[in-house]
Amino acid sequence: MKATNSKTPNAYSADCPTRQILDRVGDKWAVLILLLVRDEPMRFNALRRTIEGISQKMLSQVLKSLERDGLIRRRAIATVPVTVEYSITPLGATLADAVDPLREWAERNLKEVLNAQRRYDAARKDMAA
């Protein structure tokens, strides 16, 4: 698909800003965060406890990126120490609604994908022997 002019988005073009958005959509941490805060605001530490395997640094970076993109909102609550919670924006909710079917597909097809990987790996191992 070619752009008809320089103002028409074309994700296949190397300099198209659409790719930045697709990078966010393709980031597993961003997707998981969006899906978690879709239903209710969450604090930083609650997100970190819920999303197994994410480091504090990575969580912080992804939250900042999502906030910059207008997908989540950061709210500091005047407590001692300060409490920070994250909630989804209307724009973020539209993205969460779009990516949640991908999560559902992955959960529904997990066994089939794992079986395909095992078959592939076994065939490669046999070819190498």
Side-chain angles (χ1 to χ4, degrees):
M1 301 176 96
K2 296 200 179 220
T4 56
N5 63 50
S6 62
K7 296 186 187 251
T8 303
N10 177 2
Y12 298 97
S13 175
D15 61 349
C16 182
T18 302
R19 287 193 179 187
Q20 295 172 347
I21 297 169
L22 292 174
D23 282 344
R24 185 77 57 240
V25 172
D27 180 82
K28 68 181 174 187
W29 302 126
V31 169
L32 294 173
I33 291 167
L34 281 175
L35 294 176
L36 282 172
V37 300
R38 175 175 55 177
D39 296 327
E40 63 182 341
M42 290 186 75
R43 294 180 182 178
F44 183 92
N45 285 327
L47 287 166
R48 193 170 57 141
R49 282 191 305 271
T50 304
I51 305 172
E52 295 180 5
I54 193 168
S55 69
Q56 183 170 334
K57 179 180 177 182
M58 180 58 69
L59 177 58
S60 179
Q61 288 173 348
V62 175
L63 286 168
K64 285 177 187 174
S65 295
L66 291 170
E67 183 181 13
R68 181 174 183 259
D69 292 345
L71 301 172
I72 63 168
R73 185 176 303 107
R74 179 185 186 274
R75 183 172 79 115
I77 302 164
T79 56
V80 179
V82 174
T83 301
V84 177
E85 72 177 17
Y86 297 89
S87 59
I88 200 158
T89 64
L91 180 62
T94 64
L95 179 55
D97 289 344
V99 298
D100 197 31
L102 293 173
R103 178 198 55 81
E104 291 171 349
W105 180 92
E107 290 175 348
R108 197 172 45 251
N109 293 284
L110 179 62
K111 285 183 180 181
E112 190 171 337
V113 171
L114 293 175
N115 287 334
Q117 290 173 350
R118 280 192 284 276
R119 286 191 304 272
Y120 178 89
D121 293 344
R124 288 285 187 197
K125 186 178 177 182
D126 290 343
M127 288 174 38

